[in-house]
Amino acid sequence: MSERPLVLPFDPAGIVLDQHRGLSQQLYQALRARVLDGRLSSGTRLPATRDLAGMLSLSRNSVVRAYDQLYAEGYIESRVGDGTYVTQLPKLSTQLSTGLSHGLSTDLSTFLDKSTEDLSSFGRSSEPLERLKNNYLPSPKVGPPRAFRVGVPAFDLFPFEVWAKLQAGFWRNPDPAQLGYGDPAGEPLLRELIAAYLRRSRGMSCTAGQIVITSGAQEAISLCAQLLMQPGDEVAVENPGYRAAGQAFAVAGGRVRGVPVDDEGLDCTRLADLTDCRLAYVTPAHQYPTGVTMSLARRLALLAWAERQDGWIIEDDYDGEYRYSGAPLAPLAALDRHGRVLYVGTFGKIAFPALRMGYLVLPQRLVEAFSQGRALAVRHSEVGTQCVMAQFIAQGHFQRHIRRMRRAALSRRNVLKAGWPQGVAGLGAMPQVSAGLHVKVAVDNLARESELVASAEAVGVEVNPLSRYWLEDSDVPMDNRAGLVLGFAAVPEAQIADALMRLRRAWR
Ligand SMILES: Cc1ncc(COP(=O)(O)O)c(C=O)c1O
């Protein structure tokens, strides 16, 4: 025998209306928000219009108009001779919250439930459009790659003939089952293969069921921003760091707090200053942009922090395939025993960014909500490309390509190291580079940084100022933010050598 759900009587407490704005519209919004977030459960009997008007000191007409709108949109129904009831609605929002909040203390449900009236308490300047305007993301450099573009791998080595054959194979005779709507979490075979790859290469014990395919790492980070925090929450990010991640949190309403990075990675002791923070974004394998690898002690300290705070860690392993010396440390996701880490990966640094393919490895209890979040935003990623990537991996091309790319990046790094200009005023030596696709070089002060960048640009060489990677309100003196960031993998060795020759002349 099925149990009848408990239906509480209607309670008007908390419905506060502003006498200077349209009252029926406000009442309609307040009731609708309560239906959607479950405060008014299906089957609740609403008061008669005259009674509700009395309770809220409104004209009966205002209540009738609000009810009419709710009827028209299907939130309430009338039963002849018996009154007005909340309709039985599909359980979208409650699924998201019950799947996560029962004893698991994520605030996902609270954020999804927040009604527009509640959000207005953040004031105009924190409206999404305003936040977007204040977090303008400059587009990455466009055009063909040149030395020393950051963030792009060796395009010249990608096996386009293989890719084209796999694409043609998929489209020649597509399976009709793959032409309708797909799984919001991604194509099952691709998820299987990614999970197997991460088990083998990163020591993670993940399953396909924990993988959600995204449109690159950036969408994975944005999804985390939308689903793991509420507007007004503090979010810890590395400073200097990957600005586009901080901006995704800021646009979602987060108060972004920079945490210093030293030669062991994020300084976890500084997290104690952030009392309101339950979310941290880090790049432990190869800190962006300083290149530091987070020590094991710091990894454990960060995990312990997340556990204490009942919080989350986003681990962005954007270039983890590139390691040239020393054994890689286990990712946070492999050390995590309490389901606190969301691991982000991308194919952008092994294949190419334009592919827009990445993935999240999620604690099991978040998978359903993230799939729902994706389904609502984009339904799912394009199926053809996912299937082609699955074949690319299954047939061994991916592993072969990783080996080729690692060898090439190492060789290009060596050319940069060998030809790096010596004795240039205010410019540091080339440090050891044991991972990744870029390197940070010290510069004495900000004025010198600008001069070096400008004179490199004048001879057609791209070098990036480190000062651009800091949050504006850092407490670090301006001159201590200076440096150069160079990507060394984008172009072949001869072009690197040529660019170095031009730099030596320009910086003499
Ligand atoms: C640290 C970091 N994370 C993520 C990304 C973005 O990756 P994707 O192109 O997959 O969105 C980048 C790109 O440069 C990056 O540097």
Side-chain angles (χ1 to χ4, degrees):
M1 208 173 67
S2 70
E3 259 181 36
R4 289 179 70 110
L6 180 66
V7 177
L8 297 171
F10 177 79
D11 177 8
I15 300 184
V16 180
L17 306 178
D18 177 352
Q19 296 297 325
H20 304 292
R21 296 194 292 124
L23 292 167
S24 60
Q25 181 67 10
Q26 289 181 68
L27 178 60
Y28 151 76
Q29 283 173 346
L31 293 173
R32 188 186 65 169
R34 282 163 175 73
V35 172
L36 286 173
D37 69 18
R39 279 176 287 173
L40 277 178
S41 54
S42 54
T44 304
R45 189 175 201 270
L46 294 185
T49 49
R50 193 189 309 277
D51 297 342
L52 186 55
M55 290 177 211
L56 298 174
S57 309
L58 296 176
S59 75
R60 188 173 167 214
N61 259 348
S62 297
V63 180
V64 169
R65 275 201 299 276
Y67 275 22
D68 281 348
Q69 185 72 28
L70 292 162
Y71 277 124
E73 294 181 11
Y75 292 98
I76 58 175
E77 59 194 12
S78 67
R79 298 182 192 162
V80 182
D82 189 14
T84 303
Y85 289 83
V86 175
T87 313
Q88 186 82 40
L89 286 171
K91 281 195 158 179
L92 178 62
S93 56
T94 41
Q95 259 169 16
L96 284 170
S97 56
T98 50
L100 283 155
S101 58
H102 280 236
L104 295 168
S105 64
T106 138
D107 273 338
L108 193 57
S109 53
T110 348
F111 177 51
L112 293 171
D113 291 348
K114 250 189 186 302
S115 66
T116 37
E117 0 161 39
D118 295 335
L119 285 177
S120 66
S121 65
F122 283 89
R124 280 189 63 77
S125 67
S126 39
E127 283 170 6
L129 280 175
E130 195 70 17
R131 295 199 293 259
L132 206 51
K133 213 167 69 191
N134 294 335
N135 283 284
Y136 177 72
L137 177 65
S139 19
K141 300 255 170 60
V142 290
R146 54 182 187 154
F148 293 98
R149 183 159 303 169
V150 175
V152 293
F155 300 153
D156 50 307
L157 300 177
F158 190 75
F160 288 103
E161 338 70 61
V162 172
W163 191 261
K165 272 201 196 114
L166 294 173
Q167 281 275 8
F170 178 83
W171 288 114
R172 196 169 298 121
N173 191 16
D175 178 351
Q178 289 176 311
L179 297 179
Y181 289 108
D183 186 334
E187 284 304 292
L189 177 60
L190 180 59
R191 293 164 72 205
E192 278 297 344
L193 290 161
I194 291 173
Y197 164 67
L198 294 174
R199 286 195 297 268
R200 217 176 34 246
S201 67
R202 306 287 200 283
M204 290 166 57
S205 59
C206 54
T207 63
Q210 291 173 260
I211 311 264
V212 170
I213 306 292
T214 59
S215 177
Q218 190 62 32
E219 197 216 358
I221 297 165
S222 288
L223 264 179
C224 293
Q226 286 163 37
L227 299 179
L228 297 180
M229 43 156 270
Q230 300 186 62
D233 281 357
E234 288 187 319
V235 183
V237 300
E238 298 161 329
N239 195 24
Y242 183 49
R243 293 295 307 274
Q247 287 174 303
F249 299 122
V251 166
R255 286 182 293 142
V256 176
R257 301 291 186 239
V259 178
V261 173
D262 60 21
D263 57 7
E264 281 194 70
L266 187 89
D267 182 354
C268 298
T269 58
R270 299 288 291 270
L271 291 170
D273 304 340
L274 308 178
T275 47
D276 229 6
C277 178
R278 294 178 51 227
L279 182 61
Y281 164 86
V282 285
T283 49
H286 186 233
Q287 203 273 331
Y288 190 84
T290 62
V292 169
T293 299
M294 187 186 265
S295 68
L296 182 59
R298 291 280 173 87
R299 286 171 199 239
L300 297 175
L302 186 58
L303 287 165
W305 168 84
E307 176 70 2
R308 271 197 311 278
Q309 295 294 108
D310 195 10
W312 304 107
I313 301 167
I314 302 169
E315 175 176 33
D316 182 356
D317 194 11
Y318 62 105
D319 66 0
E321 282 78 20
Y322 298 91
R323 174 117 222 138
Y324 314 114
S325 56
L329 285 170
L332 291 163
L335 300 170
D336 179 22
R337 293 282 164 270
H338 302 282
R340 298 278 158 200
V341 178
L342 295 89
Y343 177 95
V344 175
T346 177
F347 288 103
K349 312 290 172 193
I350 274 291
F352 45 90
L355 194 59
R356 305 312 307 140
M357 194 182 284
Y359 48 88
L360 275 158
V361 185
L362 297 166
Q364 196 62 55
R365 62 196 201 252
L366 292 182
V367 174
E368 175 67 23
F370 273 69
S371 298
Q372 286 270 7
R374 269 219 107 213
L376 288 172
V378 294
R379 293 278 186 203
H380 56 80
S381 295
E382 194 260 317
V383 170
T385 310
Q386 292 185 67
C387 292
V388 169
M389 181 53 90
Q391 287 309 314
F392 190 73
I393 300 173
Q395 296 179 17
H397 304 294
F398 183 61
Q399 278 302 338
R400 257 193 303 285
H401 187 53
I402 290 178
R403 286 195 291 274
R404 190 186 308 127
M405 292 293 270
R406 200 181 284 137
R407 270 197 308 275
L410 178 61
S411 151
R412 293 172 188 196
R413 175 206 78 168
N414 290 343
V415 175
L416 172 62
K417 203 168 152 188
W420 185 242
Q422 310 281 332
V424 175
L427 177 67
M430 177 60 51
Q432 283 297 333
V433 183
S434 54
L437 298 173
H438 69 266
V439 57
K440 183 213 94 177
V441 182
V443 172
D444 277 357
N445 56 57
L446 223 49
R448 188 65 183 132
E449 179 195 85
S450 308
E451 284 165 11
L452 292 169
V453 172
S455 48
E457 191 54 48
V459 293
V461 180
E462 246 174 69
V463 294
N464 295 275
L466 178 68
S467 55
R468 228 184 256 159
Y469 294 82
W470 294 82
L471 294 175
E472 273 89 28
D473 64 354
S474 315
D475 52 9
V476 173
M478 294 305 276
D479 280 339
N480 294 3
R481 303 185 199 180
L484 298 179
V485 183
L486 292 94
F488 51 76
V491 295
E493 288 80 342
Q495 284 182 47
I496 295 177
D498 176 62
L500 285 167
M501 199 178 62
R502 278 179 281 149
L503 277 188
R504 280 194 297 272
R505 259 191 246 129
W507 287 349
R508 202 163 36 210

